Amino acid sequence: MKKFFVPGLFAALLLASCTNGTPAEAVISATDVETTGTGFNAFAPASELKAYAVQTPSGNWAVRVTVPLQRVTDDPVEALSTSLDLLDRSGMRLNSAFDLYGQDIPSLLPVLNDATKPARNVVYLSSSEMDKKTANAAVANAVAAQIRLDAVIAAPVQEEEKVEKKDKPEFPYDPSVQDLVAYYGVRSILRQYENAYRNGDKNRCKQIKDRLSKIEDQIYQHPRGGRKISNQFEDWYDDRIDEIEDKVDDGKKKRR
C-alpha cells in the first residue's frame, strides 16, 4: 500500500456557507492522498485534488472529485478500475452513503500509458444522486482521500522477449482441467476479465472470452487433448466467468 496521507498537512478546505447555501468545494493536497489496491504503486496524483457538490439536470445533487492522475511505474497498465473515498480529519469515510467511481477510464488509459507519463484529470462521480445537504457535508468536511486502483500491469517488454526465447513447457500427459488451467495461465486471464467486467469494458470482455475459446480449440485439437477434456475445460471457465460476474454485480448492488 503506497501512502501519501499526512493528517491535516497541506489540506486546503473551502467550507459551504450555511447561510447562503453555496455548494461546497474542497481542495486536497496530493500529500494527503493514500493509494490502495493492486495498482497502488502504479499511479499517483500529480497535484491537488478538487472536490465539488454539483447539481444534476434532475435538480438533485451529486459529488464530483477531479484527480490529476499520473502513471509512476515504468510498466504500462493493461486494465484499470478505480474508486475514491473522501476522508475527514479523523480518517473516517465521508461518502459511506454512496461510492465515487472513476469515469471514462478505458478512454483515458491509453493516454496515461504514454511513455512520457502525462498527468490526466480523472473525474470521480458519485454512484447516486442525493440532497444538497448530504453532498455539501461530504465535501465540506473532506481533508484527505483514499484512491483504490485495481490494475493489471503489463509485463515488461524485455521479460516478454525472454519468455519467447525459452522453450514452451510441454503439454501435459493425460491432462486434468487444473493441469490445463496452469499450462495456459488461465487464472491470470480470468483476473483480466474481472477487471474488464468491473470497468464495464465490453470489448475487452469479448476479447478475453474469444481467447479462452481459442485455448479450448487448441485443447480439442491436441493429440493429448480431445473433445472430452476440452468440454470439461469450457465448463470450468464458464463457471468461473459466471462467478466473477455475480461477484462484481453483487458488489455494485451493495454500494448503491
Side-chain angles (χ1 to χ4, degrees):
M1 183 169 64
K2 189 170 185 179
K3 189 143 184 176
F4 295 88
F5 177 46
V6 181
L9 185 61
F10 305 123
L13 180 65
L14 302 176
L15 294 176
S17 168
C18 295
T19 56
N20 61 18
T22 302
E25 298 181 8
V27 179
I28 300 171
S29 170
T31 58
D32 289 337
V33 180
E34 177 186 14
T35 57
T36 65
T38 58
F40 76 96
N41 61 351
F43 296 95
S47 57
E48 63 191 17
L49 284 60
K50 296 181 180 180
Y52 308 89
V54 295
Q55 192 165 24
T56 66
S58 66
N60 293 318
W61 289 79
V63 172
R64 183 179 67 203
V65 183
T66 303
V67 179
L69 206 62
Q70 184 175 35
R71 181 167 61 90
V72 293
T73 183
D74 289 332
D75 302 327
V77 174
E78 290 185 354
L80 175 68
S81 60
T82 177
S83 60
L84 181 146
D85 288 328
L86 295 172
L87 307 176
D88 65 13
R89 292 188 181 277
S90 65
M92 294 295 292
R93 183 183 181 215
L94 291 164
N95 55 300
S96 58
F98 57 89
D99 292 301
L100 289 159
Y101 290 115
Q103 307 295 302
D104 300 323
I105 299 301
S107 300
L108 290 169
L109 192 55
V111 182
L112 292 169
N113 271 330
D114 187 88
T116 61
K117 299 179 181 177
R120 285 295 181 269
N121 281 333
V122 176
V123 175
Y124 291 79
L125 192 63
S126 52
S127 56
S128 57
E129 296 182 354
M130 62 205 76
D131 58 59
K132 185 176 182 180
K133 181 179 179 181
T134 301
N136 268 347
V139 173
N141 293 294
V143 297
Q146 184 180 80
I147 301 175
R148 180 170 182 84
L149 299 155
D150 290 314
V152 177
I153 310 297
V157 173
Q158 60 206 35
E159 291 300 323
E160 292 175 351
E161 291 174 350
K162 289 178 183 177
V163 170
E164 288 176 0
K165 292 178 181 178
K166 291 181 180 179
D167 292 334
K168 185 174 177 63
E170 191 173 3
F171 192 95
Y173 287 85
D174 191 20
S176 67
V177 169
Q178 293 305 316
D179 290 335
L180 296 169
V181 168
Y183 178 76
Y184 287 104
V186 175
R187 294 191 186 278
S188 175
I189 296 171
L190 289 171
R191 285 195 293 272
Q192 294 176 37
Y193 183 85
E194 181 172 349
N195 275 281
Y197 187 79
R198 182 180 286 111
N199 209 34
D201 191 342
K202 294 181 180 179
N203 289 335
R204 180 64 174 155
C205 287
K206 184 180 184 303
Q207 290 173 1
I208 294 171
K209 285 183 176 180
D210 289 343
R211 182 178 175 185
L212 290 168
S213 181
K214 288 178 181 177
I215 292 174
E216 179 194 342
D217 291 340
Q218 292 172 19
I219 294 170
Y220 171 69
Q221 295 167 7
H222 198 281
R224 297 178 197 159
R227 182 181 298 278
K228 181 178 179 181
I229 188 64
S230 68
N231 286 344
Q232 291 173 353
F233 176 80
E234 179 188 18
D235 291 341
W236 185 89
Y237 78 71
D238 277 344
D239 288 343
R240 301 294 83 73
I241 285 175
D242 288 342
E243 290 172 2
I244 288 169
E245 292 178 352
D246 289 344
K247 181 178 75 172
V248 173
D249 291 344
D250 289 345
K252 289 180 179 179
K253 289 177 183 177
K254 289 178 183 179
R255 294 189 187 102
R256 290 173 185 167

